[in-house]
C-alpha cells in the first residue's frame, strides 16, 4: 500500500477502484449539476412579484410602457430559491480556489486574502458610497486613497502615483501614455521604438503597440536575464528610442541584476524606463524601484497586497511616476488642501495642466484600495519586508526540493517563483500539459505552463509567502509523484485528469470556436456522443 507524507493510504480500498460511474452522476458527496438552461424552466421563479397594474382587461390603458411592453415570456430559465442556491454552490464546488488549497499559478500571486481586508471593504462608509457623491460627504474615502498613495510612493521612492488604473495591463497603458505625452511635450514625436525583452509578459508589447509605439525585441541571455550586448546593439542608433519595458523580477523569476545600468543606458539614449512591477511582492520593503532609475511602474494591488482576483478580477494597478513623468499623470487625483481633500478632475487646467487625460470614468477600484491599505497597515513596514523575504524563501524551498525530480530552468537561486523546463520529460512522450493535468487529479490547480516563452515547455510555480511548510511539502509530494510517473512513462498521464468533473478539453477549439449560446440538445447530438 502506498502512503502519503501524512501516513494516509493513497490506494483505493478494495471495491472502490472499479467504481467509476454512479447512477446519479454525482461523486462522493459532490452533486452532479446541469446548466441552468437544462434544470430551470421559464414558468418558475424564486421571487414573488406583484401583478403589473395594467394586465387583464385594462391592458393597453394606463400602460406606462406606451404599448411596447412584452407580451410573451422572455424564455429565461427560472429556479426556486433553494434550487438557485444549490445551483451556484454546486457549480462553485467544481472550481478551485485559494481558500481550498495552494494555487501555484506563476506570475499570478495567488495568495491568501486576509478576512480583515474583506471586513474593512464592507464598511458602509467605503462600500455604500457613490462616485458622484459631493466630495464633502466622502472625505474619509478620499483620505484613504491619499493615504494608500502615500504608502505606494514611500515603498517605491517615487514622487507621484496615478491611482485610477484598474488592472496591471491598464497601469501599463497609463505609464506608456505618460511616456508618450512626455515625448510629445519635448517635441519628439518621432521617438517610437520601445525595447521589450523576449521574456516580457504578453501585456507589455501589447500595451506599447496600443499606444502607437513600435516594439523591438531584446534577447534573453543564457542566464534568463536581459542580454546586455544585444541591448547595447539596439541602442547604437538611439534617435528613435522612446524607452524600454522591463519586468523586474522578470517572468523567469529572476532579478535583473543589470537594472541600474539598463536605466542609465536608456536615459542616455533619451528614452524612459517603464518597469512592469506586477511582481513587486518579491521585493517590497527591500528594494525601492525609484532608486533603480525607474520612470513608471504599475503595482498590482491584487497580487502584492492580496485582494481576491481569481476568475479575472477585480484588479487595481496604481502606477507610480518619476519626476519627469509626474506632470502628465491622468485625472482624477486627490490633493490635500486647507479645506480638506479635493479631487482634481479636469485635465488642461490648474494642477492638471499637462495631464494626458483620463483612464476611466471615476477614481479607480475603491474596494481594492481599502483591502490593500488594510493589508499594508496590518503588516506594517517590517511585515511587508517579510512578505518579500518569505515569498522568495518559499519559492527557493520548492525549487530545491523539486530539482531532483524536475529540471530547473536556471541554476542558482530564484526570486518569488520557480521555473522548470520540460528537459526531464525528454524521451517519455509526456509533455508539460500532461504534468499540469496530472496535478489536477492530485487536487491542485496546475502551475502556469508554456510561459515564459523563452523556456521550452515552461512550468512556472509561485507558491507565495502565505503557504506554510506543511502545505508546501504536501504540494511538493504531489508534484514529485506526477513527475516520477512521467519519467516512468505512465501512459495514464496522457489522458489525465481522470477524477475531475470535466476531463481533458480541446482547449484550442474552445478558444477558437467557443460555443457561447446554449441550444437545446437535439437527438442527433445525443446520438453522436
Ligand atoms: C499579472 C501581470 C500583468 C498583468 O496584470 P493584470 O492585472 O492581469 O492586467 C502584467 N505583467 C506581469 C509580469 C504580470 O505578472
Amino acid at each position: 500500500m502506498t502512503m502519503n507524507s501524512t501516513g494516509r493510504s493513497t490506494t483505493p480500498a478494495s471495491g472502490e477502484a472499479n467504481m467509476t460511474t454512479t447512477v446519479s452522476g454525482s461523486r462522493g458527496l459532490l452533486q452532479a449539476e446541469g446548466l441552468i438552461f437544462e434544470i430551470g424552466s421559464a414558468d418558475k421563479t424564486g421571487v414573488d412579484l406583484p401583478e403589473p397594474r395594467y394586465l387583464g382587461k385594462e391592458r393597453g390603458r394606463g400602460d406606462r410602457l406606451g404599448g411596447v411592453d412584452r407580451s410573451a415570456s422572455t424564455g429565461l430559465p427560472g429556479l426556486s430559491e433553494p434550487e438557485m442556491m444549490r445551483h451556484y454552490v454546486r457549480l462553485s464546488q467544481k472550481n478551485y480556489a485559494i481558500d481550498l488549497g495552494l494555487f501555484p499559478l506563476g506570475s499570478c500571486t495567488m495568495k491568501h486574502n486576509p478576512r480583515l481586508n474583506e471586513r474593512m471593504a464592507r464598511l458602509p462608509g467605503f462600500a455604500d458610497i457613490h462616485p458622484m457623491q459631493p466630495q464633502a460627504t466622502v472625505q474619509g474615502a478620499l483620505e484613504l486613497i491619499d493615504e494608500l498613495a502615500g504608502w505606494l510612493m514611500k515603498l517605491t521612492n517615487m514622487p507621484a502615483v496615478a491611482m485610477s488604473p484598474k488592472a496591471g495591463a491598464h497601469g501599463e497603458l497609463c505609464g506608456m501614455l505618460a511616456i508618450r505625452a512626455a515625448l510629445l511635450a519635448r517635441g519628439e514625436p518621432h521617438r517610437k521604438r520601445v525595447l521589450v525583452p523576449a521574456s516580457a509578459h504578453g501585456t507589455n508589447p501589447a500595451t506599447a503597440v496600443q499606444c502607437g509605439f513600435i516594439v523591438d525585441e531584446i534577447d534573453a541571455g543564457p542566464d534568463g536575464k536581459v542580454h546586455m550586448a544585444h541591448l547595447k546593439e539596439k541602442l547604437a542608433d538611439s534617435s528613435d528610442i522612446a524607452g524600454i519595458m522591463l519586468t523586474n523580477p522578470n517572468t523567469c523569476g529572476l532579478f535583473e541584476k543589470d537594472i541600474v545600468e539598463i536605466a542609465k543606458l536608456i536615459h542616455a539614449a533619451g528614452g524612459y524606463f517603464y518597469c512592469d512591477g506586477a511582481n513587486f511582492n518579491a521585493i517590497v520593503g527591500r528594494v525601492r524601484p525609484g532608486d533603480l532609475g525607474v520612470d513608471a511602474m504599475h503595482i498590482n494591488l491584487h497580487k502584492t497586497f492580496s485582494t481576491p482576483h481569481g476568475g479575472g478580477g477585480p484588479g487595481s494597478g496604481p502606477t507610480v511616476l518619476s519626476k519627469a513623468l509626474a506632470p502628465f499623470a491622468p485625472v482624477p487625483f486627490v490633493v490635500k488642501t486647507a479645506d480638506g481633500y479635493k479631487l482634481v478632475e479636469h485635465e488642461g487646467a490648474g494642477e492638471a495642466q499637462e495631464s494626458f487625460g483620463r483612464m476611466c470614468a471615476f477614481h479607480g477600484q475603491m474596494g481594492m484600495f481599502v483591502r490593500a491599505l488594510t493589508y499594508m497597515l496590518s503588516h506594517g513596514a517590517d511585515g511587508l519586508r517579510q512578505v518579500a523575504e518569505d515569498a522568495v524563501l518559499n519559492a527557493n524551498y520548492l525549487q530545491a526540493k523539486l530539482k531532483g525530480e524536475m529540471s530547473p530552468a536556471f541554476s542558482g537561486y530564484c526570486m518569488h517563483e520557480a521555473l522548470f523546463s520540460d528537459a526531464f520529460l525528454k524521451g517519455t512522450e509526456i509533455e508539460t500539459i500532461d504534468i499540469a493535468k496530472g496535478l489536477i487529479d492530485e487536487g491542485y490547480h496546475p502551475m502556469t505552463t508554456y510561459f515564459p516563452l523563452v523556456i521550452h515547455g515552461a512550468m512556472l510555480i509561485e507558491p507565495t509567502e502565505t503557504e506554510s511548510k506543511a502545505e508546501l511539502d504536501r504540494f511538493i509530494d504531489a508534484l514529485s509523484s506526477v513527475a516520477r510517473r512521467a519519467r516512468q512513462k505512465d501512459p495514464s498521464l496522457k489522458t489525465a485528469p481522470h477524477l475531475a468533473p470535466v476531463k481533458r478539453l480541446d482547449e484550442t477549439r474552445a478558444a477558437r470556436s467557443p460555443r457561447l449560446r446554449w441550444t437545446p440538445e437535439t437527438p442527433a447530438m445525443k446520438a453522436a456522443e
Side-chain angles (χ1 to χ4, degrees):
M1 187 161 44
T2 44
M3 302 269 204
N4 69 11
S5 62
T6 52
R8 288 179 201 277
S9 165
T10 55
T11 35
S14 58
E16 215 178 83
N18 294 331
M19 180 119 188
T20 51
T21 55
T22 54
V23 173
S24 57
S26 303
R27 290 175 74 97
L29 297 185
L30 286 182
Q31 298 275 333
E33 186 69 356
L35 298 174
I36 199 163
F37 294 98
E38 293 161 348
I39 59 172
S41 66
D43 56 4
K44 216 191 294 181
T45 174
V47 283
D48 196 4
L49 293 171
E51 283 287 305
R53 261 188 291 142
Y54 52 76
L55 279 188
K57 284 204 296 287
E58 295 294 314
R59 192 178 179 86
R61 269 206 256 150
D63 173 1
R64 282 175 297 169
L65 291 175
V68 295
D69 52 317
R70 180 183 288 280
S71 53
S73 146
T74 56
L76 288 176
L79 293 175
S80 71
E81 186 175 318
E83 285 170 337
M84 187 273 298
M85 281 308 301
R86 285 181 181 160
H87 177 66
Y88 288 107
V89 172
R90 285 171 184 169
L91 288 188
S92 77
Q93 289 182 314
K94 295 186 181 182
N95 258 338
Y96 194 72
I98 189 66
D99 291 343
L100 282 172
L102 186 149
F103 206 132
L105 265 187
S107 206
C108 291
T109 316
M110 306 301 285
K111 61 166 83 166
H112 170 68
N113 301 294
R115 291 307 178 265
L116 178 66
N117 301 358
E118 298 306 312
R119 180 114 189 250
M120 295 302 113
R122 281 164 179 68
L123 289 174
F126 295 130
D128 298 345
I129 52 178
H130 191 278
M132 294 180 88
Q133 228 168 289
Q135 291 177 28
T137 65
V138 288
Q139 285 292 303
L142 296 181
E143 183 177 354
L144 182 132
I145 297 175
D146 193 59
E147 169 101 18
L148 175 61
W151 274 78
L152 293 173
M153 290 187 288
K154 187 124 205 150
L155 287 168
T156 54
N157 193 27
M158 297 285 274
V161 59
M163 297 300 288
S164 60
K166 295 201 171 187
H170 206 210
E172 291 175 35
L173 185 67
C174 173
M176 293 309 283
L177 286 175
I179 289 175
R180 196 179 65 173
L183 290 170
L184 290 179
R186 272 164 45 183
E188 297 184 280
H190 58 277
R191 286 190 176 265
K192 286 220 170 295
R193 193 152 54 98
V194 172
L195 303 180
V196 182
S199 65
H201 196 266
T203 48
N204 292 187
T207 301
V209 169
Q210 191 79 23
C211 296
F213 292 114
I214 296 156
V215 172
D216 195 5
E217 191 171 300
I218 323 168
D219 295 340
D223 59 355
K225 297 171 192 135
V226 168
H227 196 298
M228 289 302 282
H230 196 221
L231 172 72
K232 286 177 188 159
E233 215 175 280
K234 293 280 184 191
L235 288 173
D237 174 10
S238 60
S239 58
D240 62 341
I241 285 288
I244 190 171
M245 293 186 84
L246 180 78
T247 306
N248 190 44
N250 68 22
T251 54
C252 296
L254 304 170
F255 193 88
E256 291 286 355
K257 65 180 181 349
D258 295 319
I259 188 164
V260 173
E261 193 191 345
I262 294 172
K264 282 195 184 127
L265 289 171
I266 291 295
H267 288 149
Y272 294 100
F273 181 4
Y274 188 91
C275 183
D276 180 330
N279 299 327
F280 192 46
N281 54 306
I283 56 173
V284 61
R286 294 212 53 136
V287 179
R288 300 186 304 176
D291 298 342
L292 305 174
V294 167
D295 288 299
M297 182 181 95
H298 73 267
I299 298 165
N300 288 37
L301 296 187
H302 51 292
K303 292 180 182 171
T304 302
F305 301 107
S306 71
T307 83
H309 62 286
S316 183
T319 304
V320 290
L321 299 168
S322 65
K323 201 160 162 256
L325 296 182
F328 307 100
V331 289
F333 50 85
V334 178
V335 290
K336 194 173 178 179
T337 72
D339 305 328
Y341 293 92
K342 188 181 85 171
L343 274 170
V344 176
E345 298 198 82
H346 304 287
E347 70 262 33
E351 294 104 320
Q353 192 67 44
E354 293 186 89
S355 164
F356 70 70
R358 202 170 248 285
M359 296 298 298
C360 55
F362 297 116
H363 323 303
Q365 303 280 37
M366 191 63 203
M368 298 290 107
F369 294 163
V370 182
R371 290 176 175 90
L373 186 64
T374 306
Y375 184 85
M376 291 171 175
L377 292 175
S378 52
H379 279 74
D382 56 337
L384 288 178
R385 186 189 170 97
Q386 198 178 337
V387 162
E389 291 170 351
D390 289 352
V392 173
L393 181 65
N394 275 0
N396 278 287
Y397 177 70
L398 195 136
Q399 178 175 277
K401 284 280 196 174
L402 286 169
K403 80 174 171 216
E405 305 286 353
M406 297 168 63
S407 324
F410 302 102
S411 58
Y413 294 116
C414 58
M415 293 292 290
H416 61 302
E417 49 197 0
L419 178 61
F420 298 89
S421 78
D422 61 2
F424 71 104
L425 298 174
K426 208 163 170 204
T428 63
E429 293 191 16
I430 308 272
E431 298 166 62
T432 291
I433 188 168
D434 307 318
I435 301 286
K437 300 293 185 189
L439 206 47
I440 295 178
D441 279 336
E442 290 288 347
Y444 288 102
H445 188 287
M447 68 294 261
T448 291
T449 53
Y450 301 103
F451 176 82
L453 303 176
V454 291
I455 293 302
H456 199 268
M459 287 164 252
L460 185 63
I461 305 175
E462 179 177 7
T464 84
E465 78 285 358
T466 57
E467 299 304 331
S468 63
K469 181 170 174 295
E471 278 290 343
L472 288 175
D473 284 335
R474 203 172 134 144
F475 173 74
I476 290 164
D477 279 353
L479 182 52
S480 304
S481 125
V482 176
R484 222 168 298 133
R485 280 167 59 205
R487 287 202 318 273
Q488 290 159 3
K489 307 186 187 183
D490 178 351
S492 74
L493 274 177
K494 291 302 286 183
T495 45
H498 302 278
L499 302 174
V502 176
K503 305 288 181 287
R504 206 174 274 220
L505 301 173
D506 182 345
E507 286 165 15
T508 313
R509 205 170 123 219
R512 297 260 161 87
S513 42
R515 263 176 68 192
L516 301 175
R517 211 191 149 100
W518 181 80
T519 39
E521 212 173 51
T522 61
M525 284 160 77
K526 264 215 151 82
E529 268 175 13

